[in-house]
Amino acid sequence: MRIHSRYNQFVLSAVLGASLLLSTACTHGFAPTPKPDGTQKSIENGAQKFIEAANARLSPLGVRAARAEWVKANFITADTEMIAAEAYENYLIESVEFAKQASQFDGLELAASTRRQLEILKRAITMPAPADRALTQELTQIATRMDSNYGKAQYCPEGVDGDDCLDIIEIRAIHTESRDPDALLDVWVGWRTTSPAIRDDYRRFVELTNQGAVELGYPDTGALWRSNYDMSPDAFATEVDRLWAQVLPLYQSLHCYVRAKLSEFYGEDRVPLDAPIPAHLLGNMWAQQWSNIYDLVAPEGADPGYDLTVLLEEAGYGPLKLVESGENFFSSLGFDPLPESFWERSLFTKPRDREVVCHASAWDVDDGDDLRIKMCIEVNAEDFRTIHHELGHNYYQRAYKEQPYIFRGSANDGFHEAIGDAIALSVTPAYLVELGLLDREPPPSKDIGLLLRDALDKVAFLPFGLLVDRWRWGVFAGEISSDEYNAGWWALREKYQGIRPPNERTEDLFDPGAKYHIPGNTPYSRYFLAHILQFQFHRAMCKIAGYQGPLNRCTIYGSEEAGRRLNEMLEMGMSRPWPDALEALTGERELDATAIRDYFAPLQVWLNEQNAGRTCGW
Ligand code: X8Z
Ligand code: ZN
């Protein structure tokens, strides 16, 4: 099972499904590797046997952990937490043990596939556990507790309790709709009263995983995470910086324009023109995507004149129909329909009578056909896109299921996050016309409005996508100590995003913990990469589909040729270094932000005009 979230590749995955690495070979029937007698053949055989044992052992353990995790995430109770923690612990112990044993083959000459599987075993663990069993148990219990705390979190405004308390779905609706700064401030602060409860857990979590990482031969957990990109950890950090430098001018222009518009609306005392933007006014709890405030910043005369949320509501779409239409897109590319079990076992709406983790995820519970999503769907444009995102995970999982277990994952984790998003870039006006949701396409004169709406999500996200792991890398490396978690977080939020907290944040709070991926221990650089990669995929698939014209108007809907090439990349799984996979679809071997810059090029010109005379920056 791989869940794309919490258990990574070897760790279960809610995006994911299951997988880990195994423990003492002897107790689990794996014959210890014969001491290489010096011949190449015996070395090859030994390594081959080891890999076979790892594949055979980790897959069922991962599936078991995934099932337990699925039940827990769909029905949070003390018992399901315990069961999930135990199953995860078993998987983790063995994963870590296999990772350690893989080192015995270091420096030996081996077939490329064997060598790659060994390397993946050593580096693809997102929650490295110490060898000490008691510590592993403590770690998995902390991880499960943090995840559940997030799933159960509610903000109860003064005088309100019980059913009237607000969960993240209800709070999200307030961020989407309300333009009352006091109401926004109230829920912004309120949601962050739910995370101090896990601050101590997180501190201990950092200690324990760091110990596990050191035992695996890495300086700390952050270095282990950064080692998973077919380059050195330092080279990866440099690569992220390089990409960020490529997109920074675009972000700065967007920030400048949005700040000016918010200042016009809320007043200069609330939104000063020379300071970071208050984080509660951007239409999103974490200020990570801003399209919910499109109405406040829409360009005069260039507004496309439709709101996808309204179109979906008017056409009577419900959660199921949204998912079906996502499936229909993939079918138009030539992918097989989703299995019946997907429809029977997925969670599409928030249950009224029990606690669930609502943060959207995609699962491959049995490492094969048991695909599912778990999502508390609301009928709106944001969730329509998220459904494509989640289904992208599921189609990827199914495409690589014939690979050996260790290769069942995406080329790098950014690829997994980019597939569905790349498809959602094809949700253009032309596609909406095709679906019968829109009567006719807006004329080219409305492109700036369309591009601005996209940029509020895709460009605004970039610095957030980057900083979440800058914070964690700093925490794991000890550069941000446990008594400056919040200060370190807000320093990065200001530096990269140009936003500031709307009230004083002190160290008894734990604002990073109010974002799912911190308690869920899901690495976040993947989303930054995905926001670069999805535009490369989109540009390439549009070309393959024979499209000519502005990229923001391109839909690959119905192009079986684009689907075929996409599938060629997906079915490779992790079997080749990611540049090979990228090349299979795009002909390119590098991460390249020119694709996102090309997409938004007309908007960049327009923003420059709008910002003329303004002082930008913070
Ligand atoms: O967590 C997700 C997906 C599941 S992998 C819904 N995303 C990030 C987030 O919500 O913070 C997608 C965009 C970024
Ligand atoms: Zn995802």
Side-chain angles (χ1 to χ4, degrees), residues 15 288-289 359-360 386 389-390 393 417 461 515 517 524 527:
V15 175
Q288 65 179 64
Q289 283 134 339
H359 189 86
T386 302
H389 174 97
E390 298 306 332
H393 288 310
E417 301 302 336
F461 180 79
K515 173 67 197 165
H517 302 68
Y524 213 81
Y527 302 109

Side-chain angles (χ1 to χ4, degrees), residues 557-579:
Y557 182 70
S559 171
E560 294 202 5
E561 185 53 15
R564 193 184 62 73
R565 287 282 297 280
L566 174 61
N567 192 53
E568 270 176 24
M569 178 175 83
L570 302 187
E571 66 189 8
M572 292 165 79
M574 299 184 85
S575 64
R576 310 279 314 152
W578 65 260

